[in-house]
Amino acid sequence: MGCDDDWINLPSLYAAFYSVKENHGCAGVDGVTIEMFETDLGNNLKQLNDELVRQIYSPLPLLKMLVDKGNDEPRALCVPPVKDRVVQTAMLQDIGPLLDKEFEDCRFAYRKGHSIRQAINKIKQYYEQGYHWIVDADIDAYFDNVVHQLLLTKIKKYIHDPYIQLLIEQWLKTEVWDGTSLTVLQKGIPQGSPISPVLANLFLDEFDEELIRNHYRIIRFSDDFIIMGKKLKEAKKGLQLSKEILEKLLLKLDEEEIVSFEQGFTFLGVTFVRIQASTISLIILGILDLMNKGLRPKTRGIIS
């Protein structure tokens, strides 16, 4: 996959800024808010464009902050300044669709045209095909443990533009300001950067492909995934294979279990359990209706 510098132009940067603005993010380490940046938008974007054309652009440190996840476990976000979010978004508009073509259909997070609703539909489809045993697992501290060199090697496989490679490396290995000191990211993908989701998907491309190559049915949403098998033995082998693949990526599982639909399991906020067929249509449609309205399901999904 080749890329060039066609994304470095003012129209691309303007489109990227308005995309950043729609996300209503906060200021970075420089204290510049989206509103402040917009007051002199033309000159700010012209300066960014000039720095990119001359290849002298350099990102500022990330601002580290803790965000409540709602389960008493704060999540660390590392937020770039507005100007860096604009550049990342402009690049992403160029390389994002190209990388997405390489991704398997089993991954449902951070992709246009893929959703939780579709993931649930896929689970139901596989169940009806006889896949009744489930490996339910998640990757331990995934975003914090991605090895930069392994990720950069994967990037170079698909993106041949040296300047894009350099920019991504700079964004990965940038400094982080936590309010008291500056540190340099030694590993991990900084959550809070526009480009992070596509990089997270790219790093696990090998994981998805290897499981599919071995005829497993996998559904993955970021670092949470299930592997579906027709027999308990098949599910056990799938779990072992997933561990072996992750070991090559210098990652490991956090929580894991093998269950059947009779026992039930919860994935993506929906609990799946086998009961009488007479109730399946009503409850599944109810869940999908919530998702169509943009609501996260709180009820139980029923599979028969």
Side-chain angles (χ1 to χ4, degrees):
M1 177 195 305
C3 286
D4 52 39
D5 294 339
D6 287 347
W7 61 277
I8 302 178
N9 56 69
L10 281 174
S12 175
L13 291 175
Y14 269 100
F17 169 77
Y18 287 114
S19 178
V20 169
K21 182 179 179 180
E22 287 179 2
N23 290 329
H24 305 290
C26 64
V29 292
D30 56 0
V32 177
T33 64
I34 292 174
E35 293 74 19
M36 293 166 64
F37 191 89
E38 190 173 20
T39 58
D40 197 14
L41 183 60
N43 286 329
N44 286 331
L45 294 183
K46 286 179 182 177
Q47 180 177 340
L48 274 181
N49 188 69
D50 180 65
E51 292 175 0
L52 290 166
V53 169
R54 297 166 59 196
Q55 298 190 3
I56 60 172
Y57 161 85
S58 181
L60 292 173
L62 304 175
L63 177 62
K64 185 176 182 179
M65 59 183 67
L66 297 179
V67 177
D68 184 12
K69 292 172 58 178
N71 58 358
D72 297 326
E73 293 183 9
R75 178 178 64 173
L77 290 183
C78 295
V79 180
V82 173
K83 76 179 191 72
D84 294 333
R85 301 206 296 272
V86 170
V87 177
Q88 288 189 24
T89 301
M91 179 192 290
L92 192 59
Q93 291 170 348
D94 184 53
I95 69 171
L98 298 174
L99 288 175
D100 192 76
K101 292 178 182 178
E102 304 296 327
F103 297 160
E104 310 304 319
D105 289 337
C106 65
R107 67 191 73 175
F108 292 89
Y110 317 132
R111 300 180 69 189
K112 290 183 178 179
H114 293 70
S115 64
I116 292 179
R117 179 184 67 178
Q118 291 175 325
I120 292 172
N121 278 336
K122 186 62 71 173
I123 294 172
K124 182 176 181 293
Q125 175 187 328
Y126 288 152
Y127 174 86
E128 292 171 346
Q129 294 172 357
Y131 294 88
H132 294 175
W133 285 93
I134 302 294
V135 175
D136 184 8
D138 66 271
I139 302 171
D140 183 39
Y142 171 55
F143 280 86
D144 297 332
N145 288 318
V146 170
V147 175
H148 289 162
Q149 195 53 51
L150 291 178
L151 175 56
L152 291 170
T153 298
K154 294 177 183 296
I155 289 169
K156 291 176 182 178
K157 177 182 176 181
Y158 297 110
I159 298 175
H160 304 146
D161 186 313
Y163 190 46
I164 291 180
Q165 294 173 3
L166 173 64
L167 290 176
I168 294 175
E169 183 171 5
Q170 288 180 339
W171 290 327
L172 284 173
K173 298 181 178 181
T174 189
E175 295 178 316
V176 178
W177 172 253
D178 63 5
T180 58
S181 62
L182 275 175
T183 57
V184 177
L185 284 176
Q186 301 299 323
K187 62 178 180 178
I189 300 174
Q191 295 189 71
S193 295
I195 203 168
S196 293
V198 71
L199 296 182
N201 266 337
L202 176 62
F203 192 74
L204 288 177
D205 192 48
E206 176 183 344
F207 177 79
D208 299 334
E209 289 178 346
E210 188 66 21
L211 285 165
I212 292 172
R213 189 178 299 117
N214 282 272
H215 309 293
Y216 288 101
R217 302 299 187 266
I218 175 174
I219 295 160
R220 183 168 65 77
F221 200 92
S222 187
D223 52 356
D224 294 326
F225 66 91
I226 62 172
I227 301 171
M228 302 181 67
K230 291 187 175 182
K231 298 180 180 180
L232 174 59
K233 182 179 180 180
E234 184 180 349
K236 288 181 177 179
K237 288 183 177 180
L239 174 59
Q240 181 58 36
L241 178 58
S242 70
K243 291 180 178 180
E244 293 171 1
I245 302 170
L246 290 175
E247 186 177 357
K248 295 178 185 178
L249 298 173
L250 303 182
L251 297 170
K252 63 181 181 179
L253 293 180
D254 181 12
E255 298 180 355
E256 60 184 75
E257 65 174 344
I258 296 178
V259 297
S260 67
F261 277 87
E262 283 72 19
Q263 295 167 291
F265 66 98
T266 299
F267 183 62
L268 302 180
V270 178
T271 299
F272 299 85
V273 61
R274 184 181 188 277
I275 64 168
Q276 295 298 320
S278 60
T279 59
I280 175 174
S281 298
L282 176 62
I283 297 184
I284 286 293
L285 287 175
I287 288 173
L288 298 185
D289 183 57
L290 284 174
M291 293 178 183
N292 283 329
K293 295 177 181 177
L295 302 175
R296 187 174 181 84
K298 300 293 185 182
T299 54
R300 294 168 66 86
I302 308 300
I303 299 293
S304 65

PDB file of all heavy atoms in Angstrom, residues 204-217:
ATOM      1  N   LEU A 204      -3.300  -5.529  15.984  1.00  0.00           N
ATOM      2  CA  LEU A 204      -3.926  -6.837  16.219  1.00  0.00           C
ATOM      3  C   LEU A 204      -4.394  -7.509  14.927  1.00  0.00           C
ATOM      4  O   LEU A 204      -5.099  -8.519  14.981  1.00  0.00           O
ATOM      5  CB  LEU A 204      -5.103  -6.687  17.187  1.00  0.00           C
ATOM      6  CG  LEU A 204      -4.729  -6.413  18.645  1.00  0.00           C
ATOM      7  CD1 LEU A 204      -5.974  -6.221  19.492  1.00  0.00           C
ATOM      8  CD2 LEU A 204      -3.862  -7.532  19.207  1.00  0.00           C
ATOM      9  N   ASP A 205      -4.001  -6.976  13.789  1.00  0.00           N
ATOM     10  CA  ASP A 205      -4.400  -7.579  12.520  1.00  0.00           C
ATOM     11  C   ASP A 205      -3.896  -9.015  12.419  1.00  0.00           C
ATOM     12  O   ASP A 205      -4.615  -9.912  11.970  1.00  0.00           O
ATOM     13  CB  ASP A 205      -3.856  -6.739  11.365  1.00  0.00           C
ATOM     14  CG  ASP A 205      -4.469  -7.124  10.033  1.00  0.00           C
ATOM     15  OD1 ASP A 205      -5.703  -7.237   9.961  1.00  0.00           O
ATOM     16  OD2 ASP A 205      -3.716  -7.329   9.063  1.00  0.00           O
ATOM     17  N   GLU A 206      -2.675  -9.243  12.849  1.00  0.00           N
ATOM     18  CA  GLU A 206      -2.092 -10.590  12.833  1.00  0.00           C
ATOM     19  C   GLU A 206      -2.877 -11.538  13.728  1.00  0.00           C
ATOM     20  O   GLU A 206      -3.069 -12.715  13.393  1.00  0.00           O
ATOM     21  CB  GLU A 206      -0.633 -10.511  13.290  1.00  0.00           C
ATOM     22  CG  GLU A 206       0.074 -11.848  13.404  1.00  0.00           C
ATOM     23  CD  GLU A 206       1.490 -11.710  13.936  1.00  0.00           C
ATOM     24  OE1 GLU A 206       2.027 -10.577  13.940  1.00  0.00           O
ATOM     25  OE2 GLU A 206       2.063 -12.724  14.362  1.00  0.00           O
ATOM     26  N   PHE A 207      -3.328 -11.044  14.864  1.00  0.00           N
ATOM     27  CA  PHE A 207      -4.115 -11.845  15.812  1.00  0.00           C
ATOM     28  C   PHE A 207      -5.403 -12.338  15.141  1.00  0.00           C
ATOM     29  O   PHE A 207      -5.726 -13.534  15.175  1.00  0.00           O
ATOM     30  CB  PHE A 207      -4.429 -10.988  17.035  1.00  0.00           C
ATOM     31  CG  PHE A 207      -5.285 -11.663  18.071  1.00  0.00           C
ATOM     32  CD1 PHE A 207      -4.734 -12.570  18.960  1.00  0.00           C
ATOM     33  CD2 PHE A 207      -6.636 -11.372  18.168  1.00  0.00           C
ATOM     34  CE1 PHE A 207      -5.522 -13.194  19.924  1.00  0.00           C
ATOM     35  CE2 PHE A 207      -7.429 -11.979  19.127  1.00  0.00           C
ATOM     36  CZ  PHE A 207      -6.872 -12.887  20.014  1.00  0.00           C
ATOM     37  N   ASP A 208      -6.122 -11.416  14.518  1.00  0.00           N
ATOM     38  CA  ASP A 208      -7.372 -11.774  13.851  1.00  0.00           C
ATOM     39  C   ASP A 208      -7.130 -12.752  12.703  1.00  0.00           C
ATOM     40  O   ASP A 208      -7.838 -13.758  12.550  1.00  0.00           O
ATOM     41  CB  ASP A 208      -8.066 -10.521  13.315  1.00  0.00           C
ATOM     42  CG  ASP A 208      -8.440  -9.538  14.408  1.00  0.00           C
ATOM     43  OD1 ASP A 208      -8.628  -9.973  15.550  1.00  0.00           O
ATOM     44  OD2 ASP A 208      -8.535  -8.337  14.114  1.00  0.00           O
ATOM     45  N   GLU A 209      -6.132 -12.442  11.875  1.00  0.00           N
ATOM     46  CA  GLU A 209      -5.879 -13.258  10.686  1.00  0.00           C
ATOM     47  C   GLU A 209      -5.499 -14.692  11.052  1.00  0.00           C
ATOM     48  O   GLU A 209      -5.938 -15.643  10.389  1.00  0.00           O
ATOM     49  CB  GLU A 209      -4.770 -12.622   9.850  1.00  0.00           C
ATOM     50  CG  GLU A 209      -5.183 -11.335   9.144  1.00  0.00           C
ATOM     51  CD  GLU A 209      -4.045 -10.715   8.368  1.00  0.00           C
ATOM     52  OE1 GLU A 209      -2.881 -11.129   8.591  1.00  0.00           O
ATOM     53  OE2 GLU A 209      -4.311  -9.812   7.552  1.00  0.00           O
ATOM     54  N   GLU A 210      -4.692 -14.845  12.084  1.00  0.00           N
ATOM     55  CA  GLU A 210      -4.238 -16.184  12.458  1.00  0.00           C
ATOM     56  C   GLU A 210      -5.392 -17.036  12.976  1.00  0.00           C
ATOM     57  O   GLU A 210      -5.498 -18.226  12.649  1.00  0.00           O
ATOM     58  CB  GLU A 210      -3.132 -16.087  13.510  1.00  0.00           C
ATOM     59  CG  GLU A 210      -2.452 -17.405  13.832  1.00  0.00           C
ATOM     60  CD  GLU A 210      -1.665 -17.981  12.656  1.00  0.00           C
ATOM     61  OE1 GLU A 210      -1.313 -17.211  11.734  1.00  0.00           O
ATOM     62  OE2 GLU A 210      -1.430 -19.205  12.661  1.00  0.00           O
ATOM     63  N   LEU A 211      -6.264 -16.458  13.761  1.00  0.00           N
ATOM     64  CA  LEU A 211      -7.422 -17.197  14.263  1.00  0.00           C
ATOM     65  C   LEU A 211      -8.366 -17.574  13.118  1.00  0.00           C
ATOM     66  O   LEU A 211      -8.875 -18.696  13.051  1.00  0.00           O
ATOM     67  CB  LEU A 211      -8.160 -16.383  15.321  1.00  0.00           C
ATOM     68  CG  LEU A 211      -7.473 -16.325  16.693  1.00  0.00           C
ATOM     69  CD1 LEU A 211      -8.067 -15.219  17.552  1.00  0.00           C
ATOM     70  CD2 LEU A 211      -7.591 -17.666  17.413  1.00  0.00           C
ATOM     71  N   ILE A 212      -8.594 -16.641  12.210  1.00  0.00           N
ATOM     72  CA  ILE A 212      -9.469 -16.924  11.065  1.00  0.00           C
ATOM     73  C   ILE A 212      -8.846 -17.990  10.168  1.00  0.00           C
ATOM     74  O   ILE A 212      -9.541 -18.880   9.657  1.00  0.00           O
ATOM     75  CB  ILE A 212      -9.745 -15.630  10.285  1.00  0.00           C
ATOM     76  CG1 ILE A 212     -10.608 -14.682  11.123  1.00  0.00           C
ATOM     77  CG2 ILE A 212     -10.428 -15.934   8.950  1.00  0.00           C
ATOM     78  CD1 ILE A 212     -10.775 -13.308  10.518  1.00  0.00           C
ATOM     79  N   ARG A 213      -7.533 -17.912   9.992  1.00  0.00           N
ATOM     80  CA  ARG A 213      -6.839 -18.907   9.161  1.00  0.00           C
ATOM     81  C   ARG A 213      -7.013 -20.311   9.732  1.00  0.00           C
ATOM     82  O   ARG A 213      -7.001 -21.295   8.987  1.00  0.00           O
ATOM     83  CB  ARG A 213      -5.353 -18.547   9.074  1.00  0.00           C
ATOM     84  CG  ARG A 213      -4.570 -19.372   8.061  1.00  0.00           C
ATOM     85  CD  ARG A 213      -3.122 -18.920   7.987  1.00  0.00           C
ATOM     86  NE  ARG A 213      -3.018 -17.524   7.575  1.00  0.00           N
ATOM     87  CZ  ARG A 213      -2.512 -16.562   8.316  1.00  0.00           C
ATOM     88  NH1 ARG A 213      -2.071 -16.825   9.544  1.00  0.00           N
ATOM     89  NH2 ARG A 213      -2.455 -15.320   7.868  1.00  0.00           N
ATOM     90  N   ASN A 214      -7.172 -20.397  11.041  1.00  0.00           N
ATOM     91  CA  ASN A 214      -7.372 -21.692  11.694  1.00  0.00           C
ATOM     92  C   ASN A 214      -8.855 -22.022  11.880  1.00  0.00           C
ATOM     93  O   ASN A 214      -9.214 -22.862  12.702  1.00  0.00           O
ATOM     94  CB  ASN A 214      -6.640 -21.719  13.037  1.00  0.00           C
ATOM     95  CG  ASN A 214      -5.147 -21.936  12.886  1.00  0.00           C
ATOM     96  OD1 ASN A 214      -4.677 -23.056  12.850  1.00  0.00           O
ATOM     97  ND2 ASN A 214      -4.400 -20.841  12.784  1.00  0.00           N
ATOM     98  N   HIS A 215      -9.700 -21.318  11.138  1.00  0.00           N
ATOM     99  CA  HIS A 215     -11.136 -21.626  11.032  1.00  0.00           C
ATOM    100  C   HIS A 215     -11.923 -21.335  12.308  1.00  0.00           C
ATOM    101  O   HIS A 215     -12.963 -21.946  12.543  1.00  0.00           O
ATOM    102  CB  HIS A 215     -11.343 -23.085  10.617  1.00  0.00           C
ATOM    103  CG  HIS A 215     -10.544 -23.474   9.400  1.00  0.00           C
ATOM    104  ND1 HIS A 215     -10.798 -22.951   8.153  1.00  0.00           N
ATOM    105  CD2 HIS A 215      -9.469 -24.311   9.264  1.00  0.00           C
ATOM    106  CE1 HIS A 215      -9.923 -23.449   7.281  1.00  0.00           C
ATOM    107  NE2 HIS A 215      -9.116 -24.271   7.924  1.00  0.00           N
ATOM    108  N   TYR A 216     -11.452 -20.374  13.109  1.00  0.00           N
ATOM    109  CA  TYR A 216     -12.215 -19.979  14.292  1.00  0.00           C
ATOM    110  C   TYR A 216     -13.125 -18.808  13.950  1.00  0.00           C
ATOM    111  O   TYR A 216     -12.816 -17.989  13.077  1.00  0.00           O
ATOM    112  CB  TYR A 216     -11.278 -19.604  15.445  1.00  0.00           C
ATOM    113  CG  TYR A 216     -10.595 -20.800  16.054  1.00  0.00           C
ATOM    114  CD1 TYR A 216      -9.278 -21.106  15.740  1.00  0.00           C
ATOM    115  CD2 TYR A 216     -11.283 -21.644  16.927  1.00  0.00           C
ATOM    116  CE1 TYR A 216      -8.650 -22.220  16.279  1.00  0.00           C
ATOM    117  CE2 TYR A 216     -10.671 -22.755  17.470  1.00  0.00           C
ATOM    118  CZ  TYR A 216      -9.352 -23.042  17.140  1.00  0.00           C
ATOM    119  OH  TYR A 216      -8.752 -24.148  17.666  1.00  0.00           O
ATOM    120  N   ARG A 217     -14.235 -18.742  14.636  1.00  0.00           N
ATOM    121  CA  ARG A 217     -15.156 -17.616  14.521  1.00  0.00           C
ATOM    122  C   ARG A 217     -14.832 -16.656  15.655  1.00  0.00           C
ATOM    123  O   ARG A 217     -15.010 -16.977  16.825  1.00  0.00           O
ATOM    124  CB  ARG A 217     -16.615 -18.085  14.610  1.00  0.00           C
ATOM    125  CG  ARG A 217     -17.018 -19.103  13.561  1.00  0.00           C
ATOM    126  CD  ARG A 217     -16.882 -18.534  12.142  1.00  0.00           C
ATOM    127  NE  ARG A 217     -17.408 -19.430  11.130  1.00  0.00           N
ATOM    128  CZ  ARG A 217     -16.673 -20.312  10.454  1.00  0.00           C
ATOM    129  NH1 ARG A 217     -15.382 -20.437  10.739  1.00  0.00           N
ATOM    130  NH2 ARG A 217     -17.221 -21.072   9.530  1.00  0.00           N
TER     131      ARG A 217
END
